[in-house]
Amino acid sequence: MSRTYIDVHVLQTVPPSNLNRDDTGSPKTAFYGGVRRARVSSQAWKRATRRAFDDVLDPSVLGVRTRRVVELVAEEIRRQDAGIEEATALTAAEGVLKKAGIALKPARKKDAPQESGYLLFLSRRQVSSLAAAALTEHRGEGWPANVKRLADTEHSVDLALFGRMVADSTDLNVDASVQVAHALSVHAVEEQFDYFTAVDDHKAADEEEDAGAGMIGTVEFNSSTLYRYATVDVAGLAENLGDPAAVRAAVEAFVGCFVTSMPTGKQNTFANRTLPDAVWVQVRDDQPVNLVGAFEEAIVSTTGRVTEAVDRLAQHAAALERAYGMAPVASFAAGPKAAPLGEPRPWPEVVTAVGDAVASRLGAVPA
């Protein structure tokens, strides 16, 4: 098939929040264009996107990422054959995982089943296939041919999108077909602190007690207009999934969930969940293009930043097209502030239109 990339550009304003904390509890930041920016790591938004898949995709096409793979496969063995005792299922699970080339080591928790030495991503179908192979061996019928292949076929949607690295068995690696940038604010930020007190209700009702707070502390936060970017390599995704219908469904799920999801850091404290002000999805046949350069010079404004940010995004994209002669083959805009990017359409229509474009590109004859 022809090269096809789906670039997703998002401008989104969040109020006081701490979406993604560092090791000290402070909101993550980065220097860009000579000033400190708010930052949300790519890992945080990938996690939010994956969790949102649960609402739009059947569990059978999703995967599980865990170190407790022996326990996971053993549970599936007992689901397939309820007559097998737990200890036998665990032993069988260890055997099939080792046969598949997955190294195991003692669990950190005493008397717990063995674990992989890293988080391992397996599709539910792979778990089922490995469990069935273990049962075949347990019944004395021997191992099926090429047990390792059972862990490297029938990839789940999330595994095909985000990839898998198996350090001690690199032939089980799966190249990610999605890249997600760290979200950056389009302006400089200064961290702020919320000093809070918590009242001890029972103590407050006692007239003989002092009126002091039961707890005091501070929470660090900022507010920002973020530029978010991700790209999908449709050809890579097709290689991972195989089925064109599955590829279209995966692209639609990713685009829809990436745009509308949000990391949950300190969400109960700040109730910061918003929807994007503008979304621009571009279908490209040349290469992915991150448009963050539109904001290398930080926006300075006391009357809001979104309008200028959208204008800058459109102008920067047009300047790159003129300079390099590289233009997307299709673009779709959505959101209340998206007009400079193209005629805004309802978001569900954009997701469907992107799916239509992917289906058409999958059937295209390579140049």
Side-chain angles (χ1 to χ4, degrees):
M1 63 167 288
S2 299
R3 287 187 297 179
T4 304
Y5 304 98
I6 309 299
D7 281 359
V8 186
H9 309 275
V10 180
L11 287 167
Q12 183 167 0
T13 299
V14 290
S17 55
N18 189 342
L19 294 177
N20 187 206
R21 305 190 291 276
D22 65 18
D23 58 339
T24 68
S26 302
K28 289 184 177 180
T29 59
F31 275 93
Y32 180 66
V35 299
R36 186 185 297 275
R37 312 289 185 113
R39 175 173 68 92
V40 181
S41 71
S42 59
Q43 297 92 325
W45 234 299
K46 286 178 186 177
R47 169 73 173 162
T49 302
R50 281 185 56 225
R51 294 185 68 177
F53 284 165
D54 293 338
D55 297 327
V56 299
L57 294 172
D58 189 274
S60 65
V61 301
L62 295 175
V64 181
R65 190 174 66 173
T66 182
R67 296 168 65 104
R68 297 162 63 174
V69 287
V70 172
E71 196 174 316
L72 180 68
V73 174
E75 289 171 355
E76 177 62 19
I77 289 172
R78 298 190 74 196
R79 191 194 69 79
Q80 293 184 18
D81 187 341
I84 290 186
E85 295 183 355
E86 181 179 3
T88 303
L90 289 169
T91 300
E94 290 175 5
V96 74
L97 287 166
K98 290 176 181 177
K99 188 74 174 176
I102 298 167
L104 302 174
K105 68 177 190 177
R108 290 167 291 182
K109 185 177 179 181
K110 187 178 179 180
D111 298 327
Q114 290 192 81
E115 299 178 343
S116 57
Y118 37 78
L119 286 172
L120 182 65
F121 213 159
L122 291 171
S123 75
R124 296 183 192 276
R125 291 172 181 168
Q126 288 166 356
V127 172
S128 178
S129 295
L130 289 169
L135 284 170
T136 298
E137 165 65 14
H138 174 71
R139 292 167 185 152
E141 301 171 19
W143 291 111
N146 201 352
V147 173
K148 175 173 280 194
R149 183 160 176 76
L150 299 177
D152 199 30
T153 55
E154 296 190 292
H155 297 313
S156 59
V157 167
D158 42 2
L159 173 54
L161 286 165
F162 298 117
R164 175 176 69 195
M165 189 180 82
V166 183
D168 47 25
S169 190
T170 56
D171 50 344
L172 290 177
N173 288 350
V174 178
D175 291 334
S177 53
V178 162
Q179 297 174 358
V180 178
H182 289 231
L184 285 177
S185 64
V186 301
H187 53 87
V189 296
E190 293 184 8
E191 302 308 315
Q192 302 178 68
F193 294 84
D194 175 35
Y195 170 80
F196 67 86
T197 64
V199 176
D200 184 322
D201 294 338
H202 185 68
K203 176 182 171 184
D206 188 340
E207 295 181 357
E208 296 182 3
E209 286 281 359
D210 63 73
M215 178 182 178
I216 60 174
T218 58
V219 177
E220 199 168 349
F221 67 92
N222 58 38
S223 57
S224 59
T225 296
L226 297 168
Y227 169 68
R228 300 167 47 205
Y229 169 77
T231 186
V232 183
D233 175 0
V234 177
L237 182 59
E239 184 176 345
N240 288 344
L241 286 176
D243 177 25
V247 174
R248 173 178 181 157
V251 170
E252 290 185 351
F254 174 77
V255 170
C257 291
F258 174 72
V259 167
T260 59
S261 64
M262 180 171 280
T264 57
K266 288 290 184 180
Q267 196 163 268
N268 290 344
T269 301
F270 291 105
N272 50 252
R273 188 157 188 144
T274 61
L275 288 170
D277 302 288
V279 181
W280 203 14
V281 184
Q282 298 183 321
V283 181
R284 308 189 67 96
D285 63 359
D286 40 35
Q287 69 174 55
V289 180
N290 186 327
L291 298 177
V292 70
F295 312 110
E296 191 273 339
E297 182 180 336
I299 292 176
V300 178
S301 175
T302 57
T303 58
R305 303 181 179 96
V306 175
T307 298
E308 183 176 346
V310 175
D311 287 340
R312 281 204 195 182
L313 191 66
Q315 292 164 12
H316 184 65
L320 290 178
E321 288 181 23
R322 290 193 299 271
Y324 293 98
M326 298 166 62
V329 297
S331 294
F332 310 97
K337 299 291 185 69
L341 306 174
E343 184 65 32
R345 300 167 63 174
W347 178 239
E349 288 186 14
V350 170
V351 174
T352 300
V354 172
D356 289 342
V358 167
S360 174
R361 299 289 299 174
L362 285 171
V365 177

